[in-house]
Amino acid sequence: MAPKFELSGTDLLHADDPFHGSEVAPSISVTTTFRQPEIPEFDIQKIATNPELQRDTKSHVYSRITQGTSTRVEQVLSKILGGYAITYGSGLAAAYASLVHLKPKRIAITGGYHGAHHVIETYRKNCDVQVVGLDDDFAGVDIAWVETPLNPTGEARNLQYYADKIHTAGGVLVVDSTFAPPPLQNPFKWGADVVLHSATKYFGGHSDLLGGVLVVKTPEEWGKLWMDRIALGSVLGSLEAFLLLRSLRTLHLRVASQSATATALANWLNDIAKTPRGQSYDGVAGGILTKVWHSSLQGRDASGWSPEQQMEGGHSPTFAILAAHEEVAAVLPFALKYFIPATSLGGVESLIEQRSRSSPGDDPRVLRISVGVEELTDMKADFRQAFKAATAKAKL
Ligand SMILES: *Cc1c(COP(=O)(O)O)cnc(C)c1O
Protein backbone atom coordinates (compact mmCIF):
# COMPACT_ATOMS: atom_id res chain seq x y z
CA MET A 1 0.00 0.00 0.00
CA ALA A 2 1.25 3.48 -0.85
CA PRO A 3 1.57 5.77 2.16
CA LYS A 4 -1.50 7.71 3.20
CA PHE A 5 -1.84 11.36 2.25
CA GLU A 6 -0.59 12.95 5.44
CA LEU A 7 -1.45 16.43 6.58
CA SER A 8 1.30 17.70 8.83
CA GLY A 9 0.46 20.22 11.52
CA THR A 10 4.13 21.22 11.43
CA ASP A 11 3.80 22.15 7.75
CA LEU A 12 0.60 24.11 8.41
CA LEU A 13 2.38 26.11 11.10
CA HIS A 14 5.86 26.44 9.60
CA ALA A 15 5.86 26.10 5.79
CA ASP A 16 5.86 29.91 5.55
CA ASP A 17 8.62 30.46 8.14
CA PRO A 18 11.19 31.72 5.60
CA PHE A 19 8.63 34.22 4.32
CA HIS A 20 8.26 36.42 7.38
CA GLY A 21 10.04 38.29 10.14
CA SER A 22 9.94 38.02 13.92
CA GLU A 23 6.16 38.33 14.43
CA VAL A 24 4.44 35.21 15.81
CA ALA A 25 0.92 35.84 14.49
CA PRO A 26 0.88 37.27 10.97
CA SER A 27 0.40 41.02 10.76
CA ILE A 28 -2.61 42.34 8.89
CA SER A 29 -1.27 44.18 5.87
CA VAL A 30 -3.68 46.12 3.69
CA THR A 31 -1.24 48.14 1.64
CA THR A 32 -1.87 48.06 -2.08
CA THR A 33 1.45 49.63 -3.02
CA PHE A 34 5.04 49.26 -1.81
CA ARG A 35 7.97 51.70 -1.51
CA GLN A 36 10.25 51.20 -4.50
CA PRO A 37 13.97 50.56 -4.02
CA GLU A 38 16.29 53.11 -5.61
CA ILE A 39 17.73 50.44 -7.85
CA PRO A 40 14.88 48.41 -9.37
CA GLU A 41 14.98 44.74 -8.32
CA PHE A 42 11.55 43.48 -9.33
CA ASP A 43 11.78 41.09 -12.24
CA ILE A 44 8.39 39.71 -13.26
CA GLN A 45 9.83 37.08 -15.59
CA LYS A 46 12.11 35.72 -12.90
CA ILE A 47 9.28 35.46 -10.34
CA ALA A 48 7.06 33.79 -12.93
CA THR A 49 9.46 30.86 -13.11
CA ASN A 50 10.43 30.82 -9.45
CA PRO A 51 7.69 31.66 -6.95
CA GLU A 52 10.28 31.28 -4.14
CA LEU A 53 11.63 34.72 -5.13
CA GLN A 54 8.54 36.28 -3.53
CA ARG A 55 10.14 35.45 -0.22
CA ASP A 56 12.15 38.65 -0.60
CA THR A 57 9.86 41.44 0.62
CA LYS A 58 11.47 43.74 -1.96
CA SER A 59 9.68 41.71 -4.62
CA HIS A 60 6.36 43.31 -3.65
CA VAL A 61 5.29 46.19 -5.90
CA TYR A 62 1.50 46.30 -6.03
CA SER A 63 -0.97 43.94 -4.32
CA ARG A 64 -2.62 42.78 -7.55
CA ILE A 65 0.80 41.29 -8.39
CA THR A 66 2.02 39.95 -5.03
CA GLN A 67 1.42 40.73 -1.39
CA GLY A 68 3.10 39.32 1.72
CA THR A 69 0.22 37.46 3.37
CA SER A 70 -1.19 35.79 0.27
CA THR A 71 2.35 34.77 -0.68
CA ARG A 72 2.61 33.05 2.71
CA VAL A 73 -0.78 31.38 2.23
CA GLU A 74 0.37 30.06 -1.16
CA GLN A 75 3.51 28.70 0.44
CA VAL A 76 1.51 26.74 3.05
CA LEU A 77 -1.01 25.52 0.44
CA SER A 78 1.77 24.42 -1.94
CA LYS A 79 3.34 22.37 0.83
CA ILE A 80 0.14 20.63 1.98
CA LEU A 81 -1.32 20.10 -1.50
CA GLY A 82 1.83 18.70 -3.09
CA GLY A 83 2.17 21.17 -5.97
CA TYR A 84 2.40 24.87 -6.81
CA ALA A 85 -0.62 26.69 -5.37
CA ILE A 86 -2.04 30.04 -6.47
CA THR A 87 -4.92 31.83 -4.75
CA TYR A 88 -7.94 33.70 -6.14
CA GLY A 89 -10.78 35.86 -4.87
CA SER A 90 -13.20 32.89 -4.89
CA GLY A 91 -13.46 29.26 -5.94
CA LEU A 92 -15.25 30.28 -9.12
CA ALA A 93 -12.58 32.88 -9.93
CA ALA A 94 -10.08 30.00 -9.69
CA ALA A 95 -12.30 27.86 -11.96
CA TYR A 96 -12.46 30.66 -14.54
CA ALA A 97 -8.68 31.14 -14.37
CA SER A 98 -8.17 27.44 -15.09
CA LEU A 99 -10.23 27.76 -18.30
CA VAL A 100 -8.36 30.88 -19.41
CA HIS A 101 -5.11 28.98 -18.84
CA LEU A 102 -6.08 25.65 -20.43
CA LYS A 103 -8.01 27.15 -23.39
CA PRO A 104 -10.30 24.12 -23.90
CA LYS A 105 -12.29 23.49 -27.07
CA ARG A 106 -14.25 20.61 -25.55
CA ILE A 107 -14.97 20.02 -21.87
CA ALA A 108 -16.40 16.89 -20.27
CA ILE A 109 -18.43 17.51 -17.13
CA THR A 110 -21.45 15.86 -15.51
CA GLY A 111 -23.37 17.06 -12.46
CA GLY A 112 -21.72 18.43 -9.35
CA TYR A 113 -21.69 22.02 -8.15
CA HIS A 114 -23.96 24.16 -10.36
CA GLY A 115 -21.48 27.08 -10.17
CA ALA A 116 -18.89 25.16 -12.21
CA HIS A 117 -21.45 24.88 -15.02
CA HIS A 118 -22.14 28.63 -14.79
CA VAL A 119 -18.42 29.39 -15.13
CA ILE A 120 -18.23 27.25 -18.27
CA GLU A 121 -21.34 28.96 -19.67
CA THR A 122 -19.77 32.37 -19.02
CA TYR A 123 -16.49 31.32 -20.63
CA ARG A 124 -18.39 30.02 -23.65
CA LYS A 125 -19.76 33.50 -24.35
CA ASN A 126 -16.31 34.46 -25.60
CA CYS A 127 -15.17 31.33 -27.37
CA ASP A 128 -16.46 28.27 -29.07
CA VAL A 129 -16.46 25.47 -26.49
CA GLN A 130 -18.36 22.21 -26.64
CA VAL A 131 -19.57 20.51 -23.49
CA VAL A 132 -20.00 16.74 -23.27
CA GLY A 133 -20.69 14.36 -20.38
CA LEU A 134 -18.09 12.41 -18.42
CA ASP A 135 -19.56 9.14 -19.67
CA ASP A 136 -19.38 10.25 -23.32
CA ASP A 137 -16.57 9.51 -25.74
CA PHE A 138 -13.54 11.70 -24.89
CA ALA A 139 -12.39 12.14 -28.52
CA GLY A 140 -11.29 15.79 -28.84
CA VAL A 141 -11.92 16.50 -25.15
CA ASP A 142 -9.21 18.75 -23.66
CA ILE A 143 -10.52 18.93 -20.09
CA ALA A 144 -12.24 16.31 -17.98
CA TRP A 145 -13.72 18.33 -15.11
CA VAL A 146 -14.26 15.93 -12.25
CA GLU A 147 -15.65 16.96 -8.90
CA THR A 148 -15.15 14.46 -6.10
CA PRO A 149 -16.65 13.99 -3.63
CA LEU A 150 -19.72 15.39 -5.29
CA ASN A 151 -21.82 18.34 -4.23
CA PRO A 152 -24.32 17.84 -2.62
CA THR A 153 -24.19 14.09 -1.91
CA GLY A 154 -20.60 13.63 -0.72
CA GLU A 155 -20.28 10.56 -2.96
CA ALA A 156 -16.91 9.82 -4.55
CA ARG A 157 -15.90 9.31 -8.18
CA ASN A 158 -13.00 7.13 -9.31
CA LEU A 159 -10.30 9.63 -10.32
CA GLN A 160 -7.89 7.08 -11.74
CA TYR A 161 -10.61 5.93 -14.15
CA TYR A 162 -11.17 9.47 -15.49
CA ALA A 163 -7.43 10.22 -15.49
CA ASP A 164 -6.75 7.21 -17.72
CA LYS A 165 -9.68 8.07 -19.98
CA ILE A 166 -8.72 11.73 -20.49
CA HIS A 167 -4.98 11.09 -20.78
CA THR A 168 -5.63 8.52 -23.53
CA ALA A 169 -7.55 11.27 -25.35
CA GLY A 170 -4.64 13.70 -24.87
CA GLY A 171 -6.47 16.02 -22.45
CA VAL A 172 -6.01 17.05 -18.82
CA LEU A 173 -7.85 16.13 -15.64
CA VAL A 174 -9.06 19.04 -13.52
CA VAL A 175 -10.26 17.90 -10.10
CA ASP A 176 -12.51 20.00 -7.90
CA SER A 177 -11.50 18.59 -4.51
CA THR A 178 -13.37 21.15 -2.40
CA PHE A 179 -15.36 18.43 -0.56
CA ALA A 180 -12.17 16.56 0.41
CA PRO A 181 -9.38 18.86 1.60
CA PRO A 182 -6.14 17.32 2.85
CA PRO A 183 -5.71 14.81 4.40
CA LEU A 184 -8.88 13.20 2.98
CA GLN A 185 -7.62 12.64 -0.57
CA ASN A 186 -4.68 13.53 -2.82
CA PRO A 187 -6.00 13.97 -6.39
CA PHE A 188 -2.44 14.16 -7.83
CA LYS A 189 -1.87 10.58 -6.70
CA TRP A 190 -4.76 9.46 -8.92
CA GLY A 191 -3.74 11.35 -12.05
CA ALA A 192 -5.02 14.93 -11.59
CA ASP A 193 -3.20 17.60 -13.62
CA VAL A 194 -4.83 20.61 -11.95
CA VAL A 195 -6.52 20.62 -8.53
CA LEU A 196 -9.11 23.20 -7.53
CA HIS A 197 -10.42 24.09 -4.08
CA SER A 198 -12.95 26.65 -2.97
CA ALA A 199 -10.98 28.04 -0.01
CA THR A 200 -14.28 29.50 1.17
CA LYS A 201 -15.13 26.04 2.50
CA TYR A 202 -12.66 23.92 4.56
CA PHE A 203 -9.48 25.99 4.15
CA GLY A 204 -11.21 29.13 5.41
CA GLY A 205 -13.28 26.93 7.73
CA HIS A 206 -15.05 29.71 9.62
CA SER A 207 -17.61 30.96 7.07
CA ASP A 208 -15.91 34.37 6.98
CA LEU A 209 -13.90 34.55 3.77
CA LEU A 210 -14.26 33.93 0.02
CA GLY A 211 -11.26 32.41 -1.70
CA GLY A 212 -10.15 29.90 -4.32
CA VAL A 213 -7.04 27.85 -5.04
CA LEU A 214 -5.55 26.18 -8.10
CA VAL A 215 -2.67 23.75 -7.69
CA VAL A 216 -0.44 22.78 -10.63
CA LYS A 217 2.55 20.48 -10.93
CA THR A 218 5.30 22.79 -12.24
CA PRO A 219 6.56 26.32 -11.49
CA GLU A 220 6.22 27.08 -15.22
CA GLU A 221 2.45 26.46 -15.16
CA TRP A 222 2.23 28.41 -11.89
CA GLY A 223 3.99 31.34 -13.60
CA LYS A 224 1.51 31.34 -16.48
CA LEU A 225 -1.44 31.34 -14.07
CA TRP A 226 0.22 34.12 -12.12
CA MET A 227 0.71 36.28 -15.22
CA ASP A 228 -2.94 35.71 -16.16
CA ARG A 229 -4.04 36.58 -12.62
CA ILE A 230 -2.18 39.89 -12.80
CA ALA A 231 -4.24 40.67 -15.92
CA LEU A 232 -7.56 39.30 -14.66
CA GLY A 233 -7.17 40.98 -11.27
CA SER A 234 -8.88 38.07 -9.52
CA VAL A 235 -6.61 38.07 -6.46
CA LEU A 236 -7.46 36.98 -2.95
CA GLY A 237 -8.12 40.09 -0.84
CA SER A 238 -5.41 41.06 1.66
CA LEU A 239 -7.70 40.71 4.68
CA GLU A 240 -9.01 37.40 3.38
CA ALA A 241 -5.41 36.21 3.01
CA PHE A 242 -4.85 36.99 6.68
CA LEU A 243 -8.00 35.09 7.70
CA LEU A 244 -7.06 32.16 5.49
CA LEU A 245 -3.53 31.91 6.90
CA ARG A 246 -4.93 31.98 10.43
CA SER A 247 -7.43 29.23 9.56
CA LEU A 248 -4.93 26.96 7.82
CA ARG A 249 -3.04 26.59 11.11
CA THR A 250 -5.85 24.36 12.45
CA LEU A 251 -6.95 22.64 9.22
CA HIS A 252 -5.73 19.20 10.37
CA LEU A 253 -7.66 19.43 13.66
CA ARG A 254 -10.88 20.67 12.09
CA VAL A 255 -11.04 18.34 9.09
CA ALA A 256 -10.17 15.19 11.07
CA SER A 257 -12.89 15.96 13.61
CA GLN A 258 -15.50 17.00 11.02
CA SER A 259 -14.83 13.95 8.85
CA ALA A 260 -15.10 11.48 11.75
CA THR A 261 -18.28 13.09 13.12
CA ALA A 262 -19.91 13.30 9.67
CA THR A 263 -19.17 9.64 8.94
CA ALA A 264 -20.73 8.59 12.26
CA LEU A 265 -23.74 10.88 11.76
CA ALA A 266 -24.32 9.75 8.14
CA ASN A 267 -24.27 6.11 9.25
CA TRP A 268 -26.67 6.81 12.12
CA LEU A 269 -29.04 8.65 9.77
CA ASN A 270 -28.73 5.75 7.33
CA ASP A 271 -29.91 3.35 10.05
CA ILE A 272 -32.90 5.66 10.54
CA ALA A 273 -33.54 5.66 6.77
CA LYS A 274 -33.57 1.84 6.82
CA THR A 275 -36.20 1.83 9.61
CA PRO A 276 -39.72 1.35 8.24
CA ARG A 277 -42.75 3.35 9.30
CA GLY A 278 -44.23 1.92 12.48
CA GLN A 279 -40.81 0.95 13.90
CA SER A 280 -38.23 3.16 15.54
CA TYR A 281 -34.46 3.33 15.76
CA ASP A 282 -32.55 4.98 18.62
CA GLY A 283 -35.46 7.22 19.58
CA VAL A 284 -36.46 8.19 16.04
CA ALA A 285 -39.67 6.95 14.38
CA GLY A 286 -39.00 5.24 11.04
CA GLY A 287 -40.33 6.37 7.68
CA ILE A 288 -38.95 9.90 7.95
CA LEU A 289 -35.94 9.46 5.63
CA THR A 290 -35.70 7.54 2.37
CA LYS A 291 -31.97 7.67 1.67
CA VAL A 292 -28.60 8.93 2.91
CA TRP A 293 -25.77 9.65 0.49
CA HIS A 294 -22.13 9.65 1.61
CA SER A 295 -18.97 8.03 0.30
CA SER A 296 -18.88 5.91 3.48
CA LEU A 297 -22.17 4.29 2.39
CA GLN A 298 -21.34 3.97 -1.29
CA GLY A 299 -19.72 0.53 -1.35
CA ARG A 300 -17.85 -0.94 -4.32
CA ASP A 301 -18.80 -0.12 -7.90
CA ALA A 302 -19.13 -2.68 -10.70
CA SER A 303 -15.36 -2.59 -11.32
CA GLY A 304 -14.62 -3.37 -7.68
CA TRP A 305 -13.40 0.15 -6.85
CA SER A 306 -14.42 1.62 -3.50
CA PRO A 307 -14.16 5.23 -2.26
CA GLU A 308 -11.91 4.17 0.64
CA GLN A 309 -9.10 3.41 -1.83
CA GLN A 310 -9.03 7.06 -2.89
CA MET A 311 -10.16 8.78 0.30
CA GLU A 312 -7.27 7.54 2.37
CA GLY A 313 -7.65 10.15 5.08
CA GLY A 314 -11.41 9.76 5.65
CA HIS A 315 -14.74 10.74 4.15
CA SER A 316 -16.13 14.19 3.40
CA PRO A 317 -17.68 16.12 6.28
CA THR A 318 -20.54 17.06 3.90
CA PHE A 319 -23.28 14.70 2.74
CA ALA A 320 -26.99 14.64 1.86
CA ILE A 321 -30.20 13.02 3.02
CA LEU A 322 -33.47 12.42 1.19
CA ALA A 323 -36.56 13.14 3.28
CA ALA A 324 -39.58 10.91 2.66
CA HIS A 325 -41.71 14.04 2.23
CA GLU A 326 -40.98 17.43 0.73
CA GLU A 327 -42.81 19.07 3.68
CA VAL A 328 -40.31 17.58 6.13
CA ALA A 329 -37.35 18.75 4.02
CA ALA A 330 -38.79 22.27 4.05
CA VAL A 331 -39.25 22.52 7.83
CA LEU A 332 -36.45 20.32 9.25
CA PRO A 333 -33.68 22.95 8.86
CA PHE A 334 -35.74 25.33 11.00
CA ALA A 335 -36.57 22.71 13.65
CA LEU A 336 -32.89 21.95 14.37
CA LYS A 337 -31.15 24.17 16.90
CA TYR A 338 -27.47 23.39 16.30
CA PHE A 339 -27.60 22.95 12.51
CA ILE A 340 -28.08 26.40 11.02
CA PRO A 341 -30.33 26.68 7.96
CA ALA A 342 -27.84 28.16 5.52
CA THR A 343 -26.05 27.44 2.28
CA SER A 344 -22.29 26.78 1.99
CA LEU A 345 -20.22 24.22 3.89
CA GLY A 346 -16.87 23.58 5.50
CA GLY A 347 -17.17 25.90 8.50
CA VAL A 348 -16.82 25.00 12.17
CA GLU A 349 -20.56 25.49 12.67
CA SER A 350 -22.88 22.77 11.31
CA LEU A 351 -25.23 23.84 8.50
CA ILE A 352 -28.23 22.24 6.78
CA GLU A 353 -29.93 23.33 3.60
CA GLN A 354 -32.85 22.24 1.49
CA ARG A 355 -30.74 22.09 -1.64
CA SER A 356 -33.43 23.27 -4.07
CA ARG A 357 -33.26 26.70 -2.40
CA SER A 358 -29.73 27.29 -3.79
CA SER A 359 -29.65 24.89 -6.70
CA PRO A 360 -32.93 25.31 -8.59
CA GLY A 361 -34.20 22.14 -10.19
CA ASP A 362 -32.78 19.87 -7.47
CA ASP A 363 -35.17 17.44 -5.80
CA PRO A 364 -36.96 19.46 -3.06
CA ARG A 365 -36.67 16.48 -0.67
CA VAL A 366 -32.85 16.68 -0.65
CA LEU A 367 -31.13 18.24 2.35
CA ARG A 368 -27.38 18.90 2.41
CA ILE A 369 -25.63 18.69 5.75
CA SER A 370 -22.26 20.29 6.48
CA VAL A 371 -20.92 18.90 9.74
CA GLY A 372 -19.03 21.29 12.00
CA VAL A 373 -17.12 20.69 15.21
CA GLU A 374 -19.99 20.32 17.69
CA GLU A 375 -20.36 17.03 19.61
CA LEU A 376 -21.90 14.00 17.89
CA THR A 377 -24.19 13.18 20.84
CA ASP A 378 -25.64 16.70 20.75
CA MET A 379 -26.13 16.47 16.98
CA LYS A 380 -28.05 13.19 17.36
CA ALA A 381 -30.20 14.62 20.16
CA ASP A 382 -30.89 17.65 17.97
CA PHE A 383 -32.04 15.44 15.07
CA ARG A 384 -34.22 13.36 17.44
CA GLN A 385 -36.16 16.41 18.60
CA ALA A 386 -36.22 18.04 15.16
CA PHE A 387 -37.56 14.94 13.38
CA LYS A 388 -40.46 14.93 15.88
CA ALA A 389 -41.10 18.65 15.55
CA ALA A 390 -40.84 18.57 11.74
CA THR A 391 -43.23 15.61 11.50
CA ALA A 392 -45.76 17.48 13.65
CA LYS A 393 -45.30 20.73 11.74
CA ALA A 394 -45.58 19.04 8.34
CA LYS A 395 -48.82 17.47 9.68
CA LEU A 396 -47.79 13.96 8.68
C1 LIG B 1 -18.52 26.41 -3.18
C2 LIG B 1 -17.95 25.57 -4.25
C3 LIG B 1 -17.29 26.14 -5.35
C4 LIG B 1 -17.24 27.64 -5.57
O1 LIG B 1 -16.53 28.31 -4.60
P1 LIG B 1 -16.76 29.86 -4.24
O2 LIG B 1 -15.64 30.11 -3.31
O3 LIG B 1 -18.13 29.97 -3.66
O4 LIG B 1 -16.64 30.62 -5.51
C5 LIG B 1 -16.75 25.30 -6.30
N1 LIG B 1 -16.84 23.96 -6.17
C6 LIG B 1 -17.47 23.37 -5.13
C7 LIG B 1 -17.55 21.88 -5.08
C8 LIG B 1 -18.04 24.16 -4.14
O5 LIG B 1 -18.69 23.56 -3.12
Side-chain angles (χ1 to χ4, degrees):
M1 269 284 278
K4 288 210 311 187
F5 186 35
E6 303 287 353
L7 176 60
S8 153
T10 312
D11 289 341
L12 289 168
L13 271 296
H14 296 289
D16 57 328
D17 277 353
F19 285 67
H20 66 91
S22 62
E23 74 277 22
V24 175
S27 310
I28 295 175
S29 167
V30 292
T31 192
T32 53
T33 188
F34 296 82
R35 185 181 289 269
Q36 294 174 336
E38 210 167 326
I39 302 157
E41 291 183 32
F42 175 71
D43 186 332
I44 200 164
Q45 292 304 337
K46 268 198 194 144
I47 295 178
T49 50
N50 184 2
E52 276 274 317
L53 291 176
Q54 293 177 49
R55 163 205 292 243
D56 184 351
T57 49
K58 287 199 281 302
S59 70
H60 302 315
V61 172
Y62 186 61
S63 66
R64 178 161 41 72
I65 303 172
T66 61
Q67 186 266 355
T69 321
S70 52
T71 296
R72 291 175 61 176
V73 165
E74 287 170 2
Q75 196 60 26
V76 174
L77 289 171
S78 296
K79 184 85 189 184
I80 66 164
L81 292 162
Y84 292 84
I86 180 162
T87 53
Y88 295 90
S90 71
L92 292 190
Y96 191 79
S98 75
L99 298 181
V100 171
H101 172 61
L102 295 167
K103 301 184 275 297
K105 294 259 171 294
R106 192 175 287 183
I107 303 176
I109 183 169
T110 299
Y113 180 57
H114 58 98
H117 297 265
H118 288 173
V119 168
I120 293 168
E121 284 311 309
T122 306
Y123 182 77
R124 284 175 88 186
K125 287 183 189 170
N126 303 313
C127 34
D128 185 23
V129 180
Q130 285 178 335
V131 178
V132 300
L134 285 169
D135 293 327
D136 293 338
D137 186 357
F138 275 8
V141 172
D142 336 86
I143 297 183
W145 190 284
V146 178
E147 182 180 305
T148 189
L150 274 166
N151 190 356
T153 62
E155 287 190 306
R157 281 168 161 168
N158 182 344
L159 286 177
Q160 188 70 63
Y161 168 79
Y162 290 107
D164 293 345
K165 187 172 169 185
I166 190 64
H167 291 153
T168 304
V172 298
L173 178 64
V174 177
V175 176
D176 183 340
S177 189
T178 300
F179 270 48
L184 305 183
Q185 72 182 6
N186 178 9
F188 286 126
K189 183 171 167 185
W190 310 105
D193 299 291
V194 178
V195 176
L196 180 145
H197 283 269
S198 164
T200 313
K201 314 295 170 50
Y202 292 97
F203 292 163
H206 297 75
S207 310
D208 57 4
L209 70 93
L210 274 180
V213 185
L214 288 180
V215 198
V216 288
K217 294 202 276 194
T218 64
E220 290 72 30
E221 284 167 280
W222 181 92
K224 286 180 187 157
L225 287 166
W226 181 60
M227 296 292 269
D228 284 348
R229 190 185 65 178
I230 294 170
L232 291 169
S234 46
V235 286
L236 184 70
S238 299
L239 284 172
E240 281 76 3
F242 166 81
L243 289 168
L244 184 49
L245 186 56
R246 186 250 0 225
S247 294
L248 285 171
R249 305 303 198 203
T250 57
L251 182 71
H252 55 320
L253 306 176
R254 290 184 282 109
V255 172
S257 160
Q258 287 169 281
S259 167
T261 309
T263 303
L265 186 68
N267 282 266
W268 182 75
L269 290 168
N270 189 50
D271 286 335
I272 292 168
K274 285 192 298 200
T275 305
R277 225 186 149 95
Q279 294 180 21
S280 75
Y281 175 82
D282 201 14
V284 180
I288 186 116
L289 298 180
T290 306
K291 190 174 169 60
V292 178
W293 293 276
H294 191 228
S295 53
S296 67
L297 299 165
Q298 207 175 321
R300 289 186 187 278
D301 69 10
S303 75
W305 176 85
S306 78
E308 285 75 14
Q309 286 167 241
Q310 185 170 288
M311 306 195 67
E312 297 169 299
H315 296 280
S316 181
T318 300
F319 63 95
I321 58 178
L322 183 68
H325 304 275
E326 183 179 338
E327 295 81 354
V328 170
V331 297
L332 189 69
F334 303 91
L336 286 156
K337 67 179 177 189
Y338 297 131
F339 291 78
I340 303 167
T343 197
S344 198
L345 56 117
V348 288
E349 53 288 294
S350 294
L351 307 179
I352 184 164
E353 182 187 38
Q354 186 184 17
R355 208 41 203 148
S356 56
R357 284 201 176 207
S358 289
S359 191
D362 279 17
D363 186 331
R365 295 171 302 164
V366 174
L367 291 154
R368 185 179 70 187
I369 297 171
S370 167
V371 171
V373 297
E374 301 92 338
E375 303 301 326
L376 177 63
T377 45
D378 296 325
M379 294 184 188
K380 287 184 182 174
D382 198 13
F383 268 105
R384 268 187 214 104
Q385 67 77 24
F387 279 137
K388 269 196 203 113
T391 312
K393 207 163 174 198
K395 299 197 176 62
L396 293 175

Coordinates of all heavy atoms in Angstrom, one line a residue, residues 90-92 113 147 151 176 178-179 198 200-201 210-211 345, ligand 1:
S90 N -12.1 33.8 -5.2 CA -13.2 32.9 -4.9 C -12.9 31.6 -5.6 O -12.0 31.6 -6.5 CB -14.6 33.4 -5.3 OG -14.7 33.4 -6.7
G91 N -13.6 30.5 -5.2 CA -13.5 29.3 -5.9 C -13.8 29.4 -7.4 O -13.1 28.8 -8.3
L92 N -14.9 30.1 -7.7 CA -15.3 30.3 -9.1 C -14.3 31.1 -9.9 O -14.1 30.9 -11.1 CB -16.7 30.8 -9.2 CG -17.8 29.8 -8.8 CD1 -19.2 30.3 -9.1 CD2 -17.6 28.4 -9.3
Y113 N -21.3 20.7 -8.6 CA -21.7 22.0 -8.2 C -22.2 22.8 -9.3 O -21.5 22.9 -10.4 CB -20.5 22.7 -7.5 CG -20.7 24.1 -7.0 CD1 -21.7 24.4 -6.1 CD2 -19.9 25.1 -7.5 CE1 -21.9 25.7 -5.7 CE2 -20.1 26.4 -7.0 CZ -21.1 26.7 -6.1 OH -21.3 28.0 -5.7
E147 N -15.5 16.5 -10.3 CA -15.7 17.0 -8.9 C -15.8 15.7 -8.1 O -16.6 14.8 -8.4 CB -16.9 17.8 -8.8 CG -17.2 18.4 -7.4 CD -18.5 19.2 -7.5 OE1 -18.6 20.1 -8.3 OE2 -19.4 18.9 -6.7
N151 N -20.8 17.5 -4.8 CA -21.8 18.3 -4.2 C -23.2 17.9 -4.8 O -23.3 17.9 -6.0 CB -21.5 19.8 -4.6 CG -22.3 20.8 -3.8 OD1 -23.2 20.5 -3.1 ND2 -22.0 22.0 -4.1
D176 N -12.0 19.1 -8.9 CA -12.5 20.0 -7.9 C -12.6 19.2 -6.6 O -13.5 18.3 -6.5 CB -13.9 20.6 -8.3 CG -14.4 21.5 -7.3 OD1 -14.0 21.5 -6.1 OD2 -15.3 22.3 -7.6
T178 N -12.9 20.3 -3.5 CA -13.4 21.2 -2.4 C -14.0 20.3 -1.3 O -13.7 20.6 -0.1 CB -14.5 22.1 -2.9 OG1 -13.9 23.0 -3.9 CG2 -15.1 23.0 -1.8
F179 N -14.7 19.2 -1.6 CA -15.4 18.4 -0.6 C -14.4 17.5 0.2 O -14.8 16.9 1.2 CB -16.5 17.6 -1.2 CG -17.8 18.3 -1.2 CD1 -18.0 19.6 -1.7 CD2 -19.0 17.6 -0.8 CE1 -19.2 20.2 -1.7 CE2 -20.2 18.3 -0.8 CZ -20.3 19.6 -1.2
S198 N -12.4 25.4 -3.5 CA -13.0 26.6 -3.0 C -12.4 26.8 -1.5 O -12.8 26.0 -0.7 CB -14.5 26.6 -3.0 OG -15.0 27.6 -2.1
T200 N -13.2 29.0 0.4 CA -14.3 29.5 1.2 C -14.8 28.4 2.1 O -15.4 28.7 3.2 CB -15.4 29.9 0.2 OG1 -14.9 30.7 -0.9 CG2 -16.5 30.6 0.9
K201 N -14.5 27.2 1.8 CA -15.1 26.0 2.5 C -14.2 25.6 3.6 O -14.1 26.2 4.6 CB -15.5 24.9 1.5 CG -16.2 25.4 0.3 CD -17.6 26.0 0.6 CE -18.3 26.8 -0.6 NZ -18.3 26.1 -1.9
L210 N -14.1 34.5 1.4 CA -14.3 33.9 0.0 C -12.9 33.8 -0.6 O -12.1 34.7 -0.5 CB -15.0 34.8 -0.9 CG -16.5 34.8 -1.0 CD1 -17.0 35.9 -2.0 CD2 -17.1 33.5 -1.4
G211 N -12.6 32.6 -1.1 CA -11.3 32.4 -1.7 C -11.3 31.2 -2.6 O -12.1 30.3 -2.4
L345 N -20.7 25.4 3.2 CA -20.2 24.2 3.9 C -18.8 24.5 4.3 O -18.2 25.4 3.9 CB -20.3 23.0 3.0 CG -19.5 23.1 1.7 CD1 -18.4 22.1 1.6 CD2 -20.4 22.9 0.5
Ligands
LIG1 C1 -18.5 26.4 -3.2 C2 -17.9 25.6 -4.3 C3 -17.3 26.1 -5.3 C4 -17.2 27.6 -5.6 O1 -16.5 28.3 -4.6 P1 -16.8 29.9 -4.2 O2 -15.6 30.1 -3.3 O3 -18.1 30.0 -3.7 O4 -16.6 30.6 -5.5 C5 -16.7 25.3 -6.3 N1 -16.8 24.0 -6.2 C6 -17.5 23.4 -5.1 C7 -17.5 21.9 -5.1 C8 -18.0 24.2 -4.1 O5 -18.7 23.6 -3.1

